[in-house]
Amino acid sequence: MESKINFIDLNLVDSLSELIDASQYVWSDIPRVNYKKLDPNKITYLPIFIRTPFTIDPVLEKIPNDVYLLMQQSKIKPLISMVTEQWDLFNTYAWQENKFNITPDFKDIPYSRVIRNFTQRGVAEENITWLVPHVFNEAVQIKSLQQKGYSVKCNFIGFDFFMHQIAEHTKNHMINKKFDKSFACLCQSKRVAHHRLGMIYELQRRNLLDKGMISCTNYENVVESKKSNWIDDDVNTDTYMDQFQDFKKNKNKFISLLPINFDNKINSHFDKTFDETHIFDHSFLWVSNETKKEHSGIFITEKTYKAIAYGNPFVINGDNGSLAYLKIMGFKTFDKWWDESYDNDNSHTKIKKIADIIEELHKKDVNELKMMYNEMMPILKHNKNLLQNFHGLGRVKKELENE
């Protein structure tokens, strides 16, 4: 079927990365055209692929003046694809509370800074479309701002790139469980994150490291915060970790154990197309140490979707409300078998409750785990089928065709 939309053939990206490349590749079937040869019977978009809203200015400087003139006439529409990261565009937390006790200036939020690059050139704000991972986040913040009298005219469309990617890669996977280990907990991300180190420490403190498949990066004392002038929320790794039982006493021993690499494939787990069947078929529970946003909202990535695709029960060490969000999407979780109240707890309590679940599962023998797994099978099949029949890209294309 012939595409009803075209993309302008300009390579507009804000960074060089495999993820950005992959997020462009999913659109490979959309015809690329020269802006001097537009088809009046098709909707033509100017795709701009970015990781963050803070690095777009140099990209926009590459747009020819003639393209801006065509965007002014609505003959070309800007399409900002920011689907590999879930950045906060609206900073609504600053309206709720800030250290200056003043009303924030709407023109200084990330959304406004990006949009004015177009509106100052005469491009209508309502002609701009953003693709974001979970449009639920933007919808909540936009509603909050609109209730305060602010106007947000851009169109936001959700495209869960990571779900699409994992569904494509695992569509031929057949479940063949062995349960040599009661759980798998991989924290082999390039980015050191407090909640991931906290999860590994809590497992080590409970003598569970050798009971599962574990990977973890080196310990680094890094600062996490919203990186905002509105609030002072800097927390370094040491301060975060000190809130775990006996960490000060055990710190040196814990650091000496890192990095942990259970299968000598330290660089492969970042790759969304890497075959991880050996992990999921040999472990019962998947501990998803999610990306976890430092701003408001929820970000679900391949770290969680892998478990669904491979047919494993999971817990999520990530943003509050992650399980609730999955349920909104139609997935089912595992509150019949363990306490999922951790979904709304602070980071330290969440980790301790997840460790409680792991500890209880470890007490079970293989036959008990198999029995539990068989009880879960309707949910696991439902989740896997929902993932495989996601069709998110097709839905997004239809929305773009109807713009």
Side-chain angles (χ1 to χ4, degrees):
M1 184 177 179
E2 185 180 4
S3 173
K4 296 180 181 179
I5 62 176
N6 285 337
F7 281 178
I8 295 297
D9 191 14
L10 290 174
N11 185 32
L12 300 176
V13 297
D14 74 344
S15 61
L16 297 176
S17 75
E18 291 182 3
L19 275 180
I20 290 291
D21 290 345
S23 71
Q24 294 181 77
Y25 180 75
V26 300
W27 301 99
S28 59
D29 63 331
I30 302 297
R32 263 59 174 179
V33 299
N34 188 301
Y35 65 86
K36 296 179 181 179
K37 300 178 180 180
L38 300 182
D39 184 342
N41 297 313
K42 293 187 177 183
I43 301 175
T44 303
Y45 290 95
L46 176 68
I48 304 164
F49 297 90
I50 63 173
R51 290 191 67 187
T52 83
F54 314 112
T55 53
I56 195 173
D57 290 5
V59 179
L60 301 184
E61 291 172 1
K62 299 177 183 179
I63 300 175
N65 185 63
D66 286 350
V67 173
Y68 275 109
L69 296 178
L70 290 166
M71 288 192 289
Q72 290 173 6
Q73 301 169 61
S74 300
K75 293 180 178 179
I76 297 175
K77 296 184 177 184
L79 177 65
I80 303 172
S81 175
M82 191 180 71
V83 298
T84 63
E85 308 275 354
Q86 181 72 61
W87 291 95
D88 194 332
L89 295 174
F90 298 103
N91 293 352
T92 50
Y93 60 84
W95 272 266
Q96 298 168 5
E97 182 180 1
N98 64 71
K99 65 183 180 182
F100 305 110
N101 197 29
I102 61 174
T103 301
D105 191 336
F106 183 76
K107 73 178 178 61
D108 287 333
I109 64 175
Y111 170 83
S112 298
R113 290 182 178 181
V114 171
I115 294 308
R116 66 171 167 255
N117 285 283
F118 295 97
T119 56
Q120 288 177 354
R121 295 294 307 270
V123 180
E125 182 178 347
E126 55 266 30
N127 280 355
I128 303 170
T129 298
W130 288 71
L131 299 180
V132 293
H134 305 310
V135 74
F136 168 83
N137 292 312
E138 283 71 26
V140 169
Q141 295 191 57
I142 289 171
K143 183 178 180 181
S144 171
L145 289 170
Q146 288 175 336
Q147 289 172 343
K148 294 177 174 63
Y150 298 102
S151 173
V152 178
K153 296 179 181 178
C154 278
N155 180 38
F156 282 85
I157 299 176
F159 173 47
D160 199 322
F161 165 71
F162 291 111
M163 186 190 293
H164 171 82
Q165 196 176 41
I166 292 299
E168 282 292 306
H169 178 58
T170 60
K171 59 187 176 184
N172 296 321
H173 173 259
M174 302 297 291
I175 296 175
N176 182 25
K177 302 299 182 187
K178 299 177 179 64
F179 300 145
D180 300 327
K181 298 288 185 179
S182 56
F183 70 96
C185 182
L186 306 190
C187 304
Q188 206 60 55
S189 172
K190 295 177 182 178
R191 182 174 72 90
V192 173
H194 296 171
H195 67 295
R196 293 171 182 158
L197 287 171
M199 188 75 252
I200 299 301
Y201 170 72
E202 187 64 17
L203 295 176
Q204 183 261 330
R205 190 185 69 80
R206 301 185 188 208
N207 298 313
L208 291 169
L209 286 188
D210 62 341
K211 308 301 188 296
M213 299 178 180
I214 305 288
S215 286
C216 187
T217 53
N218 279 310
Y219 188 97
E220 290 183 40
N221 192 30
V222 299
V223 172
E224 291 186 5
S225 75
K226 288 184 172 65
K227 299 177 179 64
S228 167
N229 293 328
W230 289 106
I231 56 176
D232 296 322
D233 65 337
D234 289 7
V235 177
N236 63 35
T237 309
D238 287 344
T239 301
Y240 174 87
M241 295 295 292
D242 283 347
Q243 297 182 57
F244 286 100
Q245 182 178 331
D246 297 328
F247 180 75
K248 289 182 179 179
K249 181 175 67 176
N250 297 328
K251 177 181 177 181
N252 290 336
K253 178 184 177 182
F254 176 64
I255 292 176
S256 71
L257 296 173
L258 305 178
I260 303 172
N261 180 18
F262 81 93
D263 62 358
N264 296 317
K265 295 177 179 176
I266 192 167
N267 292 318
S268 299
H269 300 297
F270 315 137
D271 184 352
K272 311 307 176 297
T273 64
F274 179 62
D275 185 359
E276 295 182 308
T277 304
H278 66 292
I279 298 170
F280 290 93
D281 281 358
H282 287 268
S283 60
F284 177 79
L285 180 74
W286 174 251
V287 182
S288 173
N289 287 286
E290 265 297 355
T291 298
K292 193 176 183 183
K293 284 165 49 52
E294 292 167 349
H295 293 85
S296 304
I298 298 166
F299 192 21
I300 305 294
T301 71
E302 86 290 343
K303 298 173 186 66
T304 297
Y305 294 137
K306 286 179 181 180
I308 294 173
Y310 284 105
N312 288 64
F314 56 86
V315 291
I316 302 178
N317 179 23
D319 296 314
N320 278 12
S322 293
L323 294 178
Y325 179 74
L326 286 175
K327 289 177 181 178
I328 291 173
M329 294 171 67
F331 293 104
K332 298 180 180 180
T333 60
F334 306 94
D335 53 357
K336 177 182 175 181
W337 293 275
W338 51 72
D339 178 16
E340 291 187 335
S341 64
Y342 70 81
D343 193 37
N344 294 309
D345 285 320
N346 66 55
S347 182
H348 296 84
T349 303
K350 186 191 302 286
I351 287 169
K352 291 171 185 174
K353 286 187 176 181
I354 290 174
D356 288 342
I357 294 169
I358 295 170
E359 201 164 33
E360 286 303 309
L361 287 174
H362 175 63
K363 294 176 182 177
K364 300 181 183 297
D365 60 31
V366 172
N367 289 330
E368 289 176 297
L369 291 178
K370 287 181 177 179
M371 186 179 299
M372 183 183 290
Y373 187 82
N374 288 333
E375 291 174 358
M376 294 174 170
M377 187 58 72
I379 287 178
L380 298 170
K381 285 184 176 179
H382 166 84
N383 288 347
K384 185 175 176 64
N385 288 336
L386 187 62
L387 180 79
Q388 292 298 337
N389 293 289
F390 169 51
H391 302 314
L393 187 59
R395 177 184 52 77
V396 172
K397 289 177 181 177
K398 286 183 180 179
E399 289 195 46
L400 292 176
E401 289 172 356
N402 293 327
E403 278 296 290

